[in-house]
Amino acid sequence: MTDTALTDALAWHPVARLPEEWRAWLKSQGEAPFRASQVFRWIHHQGELSPANMSNLALPLRERLASEGLTPPGTVVDVKRAQDGTRKLLIEFAEGARVECVVIPMTPKTAEDTDYLVDPELDAEDEELSTPKEAQTKVTLCISTQYGCAMGCVFCASGQFGLQRGLGAHEIVFQVLLARRYLEPGEVLSNLVFMGMGEPLHHYDQTARAVRLITHPEGIAMSSRRLTVSTVGLPGGIQKLGDDFAGKVGLAVSLHAPDDETRSRIIPMNQRYPVAKLLQALKAYPLPKRRRITIEYTLIAGINDSIEHAERLADLLSGLRVKVNLIPMNPIEASSLEAPSEAAVTRFRERLADRGYSCFVRTTRGDDVLAACGQLALQGDPGTLPSSVAVRLRRGKADGV
Ligand code: SAH
């Protein structure tokens, strides 16, 4: 597995630097190493990306930070707010890369939809937040790792769009820094899911760096247990994630079918990494006690939604600590596939529940603002994209797959 390529300039934006890297740079500039904490805190704790506003730094250092390229790497070009409080930010980065990031408040009304993301164990243990618990609304943030995606899943708008480019760690983190500004009074950022556009494990290095930045205690300081990486199921990437973060980062796997025949029809990657290989990787994931792997299963009418599929899924997952998240397919322009009837969804869920699985049906959040799965960023066709992107589109999709 190869990571999608990034140019040096994109990979080494100052926002992607960890404190130890700031220390080395500051030393090379003849500055005191303790400034590293100050710079890092300004960026990641305060969310201040303009050196001119870093008031406890001397003017010459602020100027050097500016000439080092420290500046916000993107801008919010659209915000849509759905009736259910979901906010979808459309962010534009260099080269016209547009990704979305979705702020999902977990109100009592919507708790059931987001239950699958929340681990009661965590809530019992945490957390010294300034707002009293009863006045808080927990917010889950869904972020993107690539502009487009190389995996080609037939039901997914990003998959059909193809990969344009991976995001640098600074661009991944910047989505969190920006989204924090869109929190409303009483809302606290509680969970972060890498479930937006792109395949995080096909872009491992930048994703892993983003995890390190987001969890750094001097920055955003989210606990890695509150992060969930969602993958199409690349075994090498799953193993690496497990090794690098000792299993602490939550894992969600887009399984969508219990057998190779069905899965290969909707997920081209399955031909390369069949179900048995994927299951092996899941079994080897160093899952902490009491944590479970989330199995995502997009239900598509007539493809993977029969009772036999539910039975086979139950057999396949036996012995694994999982919770199953059923997602009735959201229709996309590029495909005529559609969601099963409500009755079929219920039947599928009940069969899994009868077989002893925790099973949630994810109703679409924010669908009145097209918050579902890649749709906002992909409005408009490639003809309207900046020329650099159009060139790469013509060159073809994937780097390294
Ligand atoms: N590449 C990663 C993360 C991005 S997709 C992955 O495959 O998990 C996030 C989730 O949305 C995945 O489970 C994906 O299968 C699902 N998804 C994508 N398009 C969808 C659609 N049109 N309807 C329902 N779920 C969809």
Side-chain angles (χ1 to χ4, degrees):
M1 190 183 54
T2 322
D3 273 17
T4 43
L6 282 180
T7 60
D8 281 356
L10 285 174
W12 289 109
H13 191 281
V15 172
R17 286 182 197 162
L18 287 155
E20 54 270 29
E21 292 159 340
W22 277 115
R23 260 190 294 283
W25 180 80
L26 285 157
K27 204 166 157 218
S28 75
Q29 303 293 307
E31 293 279 349
F34 76 89
R35 299 266 173 225
S37 273
Q38 291 178 323
V39 174
F40 188 82
R41 287 179 67 83
W42 270 117
I43 300 170
H44 295 273
H45 187 71
Q46 312 274 72
E48 177 58 71
L49 274 67
S50 302
N53 298 334
M54 298 181 175
S55 52
N56 61 355
L57 304 180
L59 212 51
L61 177 54
R62 290 189 233 170
E63 281 162 4
R64 248 172 295 146
L65 286 169
S67 48
E68 189 67 7
L70 178 54
T71 179
T75 48
V76 175
V77 292
D78 193 20
V79 182
K80 292 227 158 60
R81 194 177 199 290
Q83 304 241 304
D84 62 13
T86 299
R87 274 140 273 159
K88 182 157 181 165
L89 315 181
L90 179 62
I91 304 172
E92 182 161 324
F93 292 114
E95 302 178 4
R98 285 184 159 205
V99 302
E100 58 205 21
C101 129
V102 189
V103 177
I104 310 167
M106 294 185 261
T107 59
K109 201 168 142 260
T110 59
E112 216 173 279
D113 295 351
T114 40
D115 249 7
Y116 68 94
L117 292 169
V118 181
D119 195 325
E121 297 284 340
L122 293 183
D123 289 342
E125 291 167 31
D126 288 271
E127 155 174 329
E128 52 323 311
L129 297 162
S130 46
T131 323
K133 275 220 154 94
E134 49 295 354
Q136 278 173 19
T137 301
K138 293 201 164 75
V139 168
T140 292
L141 182 65
C142 174
I143 59 171
S144 299
T145 53
Q146 296 176 316
Y147 176 39
C149 182
M151 299 297 110
C153 302
V154 298
F155 51 84
C156 174
S158 306
Q160 294 310 299
F161 186 56
L163 178 66
Q164 313 307 319
R165 76 165 170 88
L167 301 185
H170 61 291
E171 293 166 321
I172 301 172
V173 172
F174 186 61
Q175 294 169 60
V176 186
L177 298 177
L178 268 183
R180 283 197 312 197
R181 297 185 201 158
Y182 287 83
L183 294 182
E184 293 175 357
E187 287 184 342
V188 286
L189 182 57
S190 163
N191 292 71
L192 186 64
V193 293
F194 291 73
M195 269 183 206
M197 208 187 270
E199 169 49 47
L201 300 184
H202 176 230
H203 193 51
Y204 186 85
D205 291 348
Q206 298 298 320
T207 299
R209 176 173 279 268
V211 169
R212 291 201 173 90
L213 290 162
I214 291 164
T215 55
H216 197 286
E218 289 188 83
I220 298 166
M222 279 188 81
S223 157
S224 50
R225 301 167 308 157
R226 293 189 170 278
L227 270 47
T228 298
V229 169
S230 177
T231 175
V232 72
L234 306 178
I238 292 171
Q239 188 190 342
K240 213 158 186 295
L241 188 75
D243 289 350
D244 288 354
F245 299 99
K248 292 208 177 78
V249 173
L251 182 64
V253 178
S254 295
L255 190 58
H256 306 327
D259 58 84
D260 286 325
E261 198 197 325
T262 314
R263 196 163 191 265
S264 293
R265 278 175 80 186
I266 50 178
I267 302 179
M269 261 296 136
N270 192 68
Q271 282 156 28
R272 183 123 154 218
Y273 303 113
V275 173
K277 276 237 153 60
L278 172 53
L279 261 281
Q280 241 172 30
L282 298 187
K283 285 187 177 137
Y285 195 73
L287 205 58
K289 272 199 193 107
R290 294 196 292 269
R291 297 303 304 271
R292 287 178 291 172
I293 294 174
T294 301
I295 299 293
E296 293 164 280
Y297 197 104
T298 293
L299 283 162
I300 309 172
I303 304 277
N304 62 356
D305 61 337
S306 70
I307 285 294
E308 292 70 38
H309 286 112
E311 285 288 355
R312 261 180 275 150
L313 182 63
D315 291 343
L316 182 75
L317 297 176
S318 93
L320 263 182
R321 266 185 286 143
V322 295
K323 49 190 164 181
V324 181
N325 173 23
L326 298 175
I327 318 160
M329 185 192 159
N330 255 313
I332 58 165
E333 247 174 52
S335 158
S336 57
L337 298 172
E338 48 189 37
S341 67
E342 222 172 281
V345 173
T346 305
R347 234 184 2 250
F348 198 96
R349 185 185 64 74
E350 285 176 352
R351 183 56 61 97
L352 284 178
D354 287 348
R355 294 280 308 263
Y357 289 94
S358 307
C359 192
F360 303 90
V361 177
R362 185 164 86 189
T363 53
T364 307
R365 300 293 317 279
D367 51 354
D368 52 330
V369 292
L370 291 179
C373 303
Q375 294 169 351
L376 180 64
L378 300 181
Q379 276 170 0
D381 58 40
T384 64
L385 293 169
S387 57
S388 57
V389 175
V391 168
R392 255 173 302 156
L393 265 176
R394 280 196 297 277
R395 260 193 246 140
K397 287 184 182 177
D399 282 359
V401 274

